[in-house]
Amino acid sequence: MSDDQANEPPGVEAIPDLLDRLDNVEELAAQLFEELTSYPAGGPWFWEELKPEQRKELWAELDSFVTWLQNRILRHSSNSAGWIPGCWYRHPDAVEMLTALMVAHKAAYRAKSKKPSFELTEWFSRALWPTMDTFSQRSTFKNCLENLSHYDATGSGLELKAESAEFTAFVGEETSTASSEDGQVPADA
């Protein structure tokens, strides 16, 4: 083969390879489109925005993770205050935090890297133990673990309403042209 032949662009023989590569790009583009249109901005873990089938899948995935977490790691603690009771799914705040913990676990353990890193130990020190400490500080599962049954603590909490009449009036006053022209912030802000 001469130098001129080696520098020539590929000919007809390259077409099958190019078509295969184009198919791969089209398949990847379709997968990306599906990902972008099927899940809300918060991703496939943003409970509030998920469709029923997506929620069902996430519940199954989270249940598997929480079961693994309790059985593999937490149950070996002599302090039962750090355990997750069977009714964990009835605690909306815990569901959100456990979902975040699961996502962090996925990021640490399912990365396709063969290079050693601190990601796995960081999951424990930056995600797992702080989450469990938060549950303990907030007594999230305290009554459930003590009574060996679910205790619903949601009834006594303060519930906010979005765009309440007071809030709407405040925003109207805050954003009126008179207060915004002088650049002053109200004293109670």
Side-chain angles (χ1 to χ4, degrees):
M1 181 188 278
S2 70
D3 285 339
D4 288 341
Q5 289 175 323
N7 292 332
E8 288 182 27
V12 172
E13 69 278 358
I15 291 176
D17 182 48
L18 290 172
L19 290 173
D20 283 344
R21 290 173 63 190
L22 180 61
D23 283 345
N24 289 339
V25 169
E26 287 176 342
E27 185 177 324
L28 180 61
Q31 289 171 355
L32 285 172
F33 178 78
E34 174 70 20
E35 181 77 19
L36 293 172
T37 58
S38 294
Y39 296 107
W45 309 286
F46 185 29
W47 287 97
E48 188 176 328
E49 297 291 325
L50 295 178
K51 297 173 186 161
E53 190 59 35
Q54 293 167 325
R55 290 173 68 90
K56 189 174 183 177
E57 289 173 17
L58 184 53
W59 275 119
E61 183 179 14
L62 186 59
D63 182 48
S64 293
F65 173 77
V66 171
T67 302
W68 168 83
L69 178 64
Q70 175 60 33
N71 293 342
R72 178 71 175 169
I73 299 170
L74 302 176
R75 79 180 184 130
H76 301 289
S77 170
S78 59
N79 181 359
S80 64
W83 294 352
I84 299 175
C87 63
W88 63 267
Y89 55 88
R90 293 175 167 255
H91 299 263
D93 55 335
V95 168
E96 294 292 342
M97 291 180 71
L98 289 166
T99 301
L101 188 62
M102 177 185 72
V103 172
H105 184 268
K106 281 178 147 188
Y109 278 82
R110 294 187 182 165
K112 297 202 183 249
S113 175
K114 292 185 178 184
K115 292 168 43 178
S117 75
F118 289 99
E119 289 183 28
L120 305 183
T121 57
E122 285 181 357
W123 178 77
F124 281 91
S125 63
R126 295 180 64 201
L128 175 61
W129 301 129
T131 299
M132 299 315 296
D133 287 345
T134 298
F135 287 153
S136 180
Q137 290 168 1
R138 298 186 71 234
S139 300
T140 302
F141 301 126
K142 182 179 186 285
N143 290 319
C144 300
L145 290 166
E146 287 175 357
N147 299 323
L148 299 176
S149 66
H150 178 64
Y151 176 80
D152 187 7
T154 58
S156 61
L158 175 66
E159 184 176 348
L160 296 177
K161 303 261 189 249
E163 298 185 31
S164 67
E166 294 84 7
F167 175 78
T168 303
F170 171 82
V171 170
E173 186 178 309
E174 165 73 13
T175 57
S176 71
T177 48
S179 64
S180 61
E181 285 176 2
D182 64 16
Q184 294 185 8
V185 176
D188 59 348

